[in-house]
Amino acid sequence: MPSSPSLRLILGDQLSAAISSLRDANPATDLILMCELRAEACYVPHHKKKLVLVFSAMRHFAKQLQARGFKVKYVRLDDADNSGCFTTEMERILTHSGCRNCVLTEPGEYRLRQQFEHWQAAHPEYNFEIREDDRFLCSHAEFARWAKGRKQLRMEYFYREMRRRYDILMAGSKPLGDQWNLDRNNRKPMPASVQPPAPTRFEPDTITRSVITQVAKTFDDHFGDLDDFHFAVTAEQAQQVLAAFISERLPLFGDYQDAMRQDDPWLYHSHLGAYINLGLLHPMEAIKAAEQAYHQGLAPLNAVEGFIRQVLGWREYVRGLYWLKMPDYRNLNQLQATRPLPRFYWDAETDLNCLRQCVQDTKAHAYAHHIQRLMVLGNFALLAGLDPEQVNEWYLLVYADAYEWVELPNVHGMVLFADGGIMASKPYAAGGAYINRMSDYCKHCRYDVKLKSGPDACPFNYLYWNFMAEHAEQLQQNPRMALAYRHLERMSAEQRQQVDDSARIFLEQLT
Ligand SMILES: Cc1cc2nc3c(=O)[nH]c(=O)nc-3n(C[C@H](O)[C@H](O)[C@H](O)COP(=O)(O)OP(=O)(O)OC[C@H]3O[C@@H](n4cnc5c(N)ncnc54)[C@H](O)[C@@H]3O)c2cc1C
Ligand code: SF4
């Protein structure tokens, strides 16, 4: 513990009682600083519901710290002397308090880490300590060690090491059920007769209501609807969401993980991502709760393994990759995509029903599930050659769980293949048949998913073949794309021409 008083900084996504910056904090001498900042709300103009979630969770967390006896300097958005910038606020409080020690858990985003490191370098008069964020289950050094010397950084192998290391779903040195990955038992379409339970909701309390009023007033021009806010804003509420997920949704999580349904983005997903990323829930708590449900016979292995792979595998893997590859990663544009983001990503006004549904869900809830993000919104961005910078900015601001460390690899790598295959072994490109198989969207669409070209054909169909043809030079040597390229070669010149014409007309209208 620093021997003299210290200032402990808590960022908006560090709302964990066990955060490393507070570990040795002394309530009698130390001061905790938390700030609501315009710069953070606006560096991309975040969805209004996301802002309410973060600010309300921060205010609740500050109250809990005060209840534990800590002195908290909480700078509110509307405080007259709020400069809007974290390092300026920090300097102001340090000067007033006379504190020489400062402790911070490393920020999740590269941009912020740089800001603090620059400040540290410019202020040698302070003893400024930046600590590792050990809420993650794999440190930067451990990930770098795993990645070193590997030609390909495939998530599957990383995930197996994490299972071994934490002894999760293991039978000795082997995976339970003798397979590491049970996805072939998952990914089922959801029959109309299946009715998923409603998501866990919380009525806004006084704190949340006052944040809603403030966000409505201050960030009125930001994307997204504010009405019907029902997210958890405390660790206790996040625990309730976890408990409801384990008992009501986990058993069918695997089966319907990839399914999509008109007017319902919640389905059998956990809805925990935003809470884990904020710090209201530790990832290991979610993993252990799911593992325990399997051992108690409450959920089958395909569901439990599928869920644990997302949290222990994907989540840690994307974070590791982000820090390994930044800052160059975000500037990669392997497929040289430059088309501007169409307006319907904001207003949902499009005849493509799948896209309309996914944008509407996103706008209403600051949420869409993984397959909506990947196979509808992302697939379209890939096939239409949308500019990675604009697509990344969109994903970063629209989702309540979005922070650059997790958003960027998912969008830049998994969706847009802008990193040339560092993350994904092939682009996740698909025509309308996939969306039709996994959803009821096509039934309500003005386009015909069975038609391959022409004004009534599903645009995903001709955009898919147009994409394959355009990027043949880069992609056709990829063994995982061989089947698609054989199909393309078998198409007649007339079919190819029809696809080209349909794609050209559609893309011209798009811009
Ligand atoms: C284009 C795109 C953008 C995405 N952007 C984000 C983002 O900004 N923030 C974010 O947290 N997730 C992001 N994801 C991953 C995933 O879609 C969300 O974590 C998930 O939809 C959150 O909803 P849920 O909690 O109901 O997740 P569930 O489907 O219930 O999954 C359980 C948990 O696994 C973790 N998880 C699952 N998939 C991933 C993944 N690919 N990367 C990291 N963690 C994962 C999350 O913690 C999630 O809560 C993105 C995926 C894609 C394809
Ligand atoms: S027909 Fe095509 S555009 Fe319409 S919902 Fe289906 S996949 Fe989407």
Side-chain angles (χ1 to χ4, degrees), residues 253 269-273 276-277 307 310-311 314-315 318 367-370 373-374 395 401-403 406-407 410-411 414-415:
F253 173 85
H269 290 271
S270 69
H271 323 141
L272 292 169
I276 299 177
N277 294 350
F307 175 73
Q310 310 306 316
V311 185
W314 278 109
R315 185 171 185 275
V318 299
Y367 180 86
H369 73 65
H370 187 71
R373 298 186 203 194
L374 180 66
Y395 274 99
D401 54 37
Y403 300 87
V406 54
E407 173 278 326
N410 272 301
V411 174
M414 192 171 347
V415 158

Side-chain angles (χ1 to χ4, degrees), residues 7-24 33 61 86 90 102-109 112-114 116-117 128-136 140 277-279 319 323:
L7 185 67
R8 310 281 173 153
L9 310 174
I10 298 289
L11 306 182
D13 59 352
Q14 299 185 340
L15 310 181
S16 316
I19 189 94
S20 58
S21 54
L22 292 184
R23 203 149 290 158
D24 51 357
L33 173 62
F61 187 67
F86 210 107
M90 188 171 122
C102 219
V103 184
L104 170 72
T105 293
E106 58 174 329
E109 298 195 348
L112 269 184
R113 173 142 198 152
Q114 268 199 316
F116 282 106
E117 282 175 353
F128 188 28
E129 187 190 352
I130 302 182
R131 293 182 180 171
E132 191 159 323
D133 190 346
D134 54 15
R135 295 173 302 170
F136 288 94
H140 302 313
N277 294 350
L278 269 181
R319 193 250 183 176
W323 283 103

Side-chain angles (χ1 to χ4, degrees), residues 351-355 432 435-436 441-442 445 447-449 458-460:
D351 284 344
L352 286 83
N353 184 46
C354 51
L355 282 166
I435 296 171
N436 190 33
Y441 294 151
C442 302
C445 187
Y447 294 107
D448 186 340
V449 71
C458 166
F460 279 90

Side-chain angles (χ1 to χ4, degrees), residues 445-459 461-462 502:
C445 187
R446 94 133 188 85
Y447 294 107
D448 186 340
V449 71
K450 300 235 159 52
L451 294 179
K452 305 293 174 221
S453 57
D456 293 327
C458 166
N461 290 340
Y462 48 76
S502 299

Side-chain angles (χ1 to χ4, degrees), residues 47-49 52 201 204 212 216 224-230 363-365:
H47 193 299
K48 296 189 198 82
K49 276 204 170 102
V52 174
R201 301 172 55 90
I212 290 174
D225 304 339
L226 245 189
D227 47 309
D228 197 30
F229 182 90
H230 65 265
K363 191 162 172 287
H365 307 296

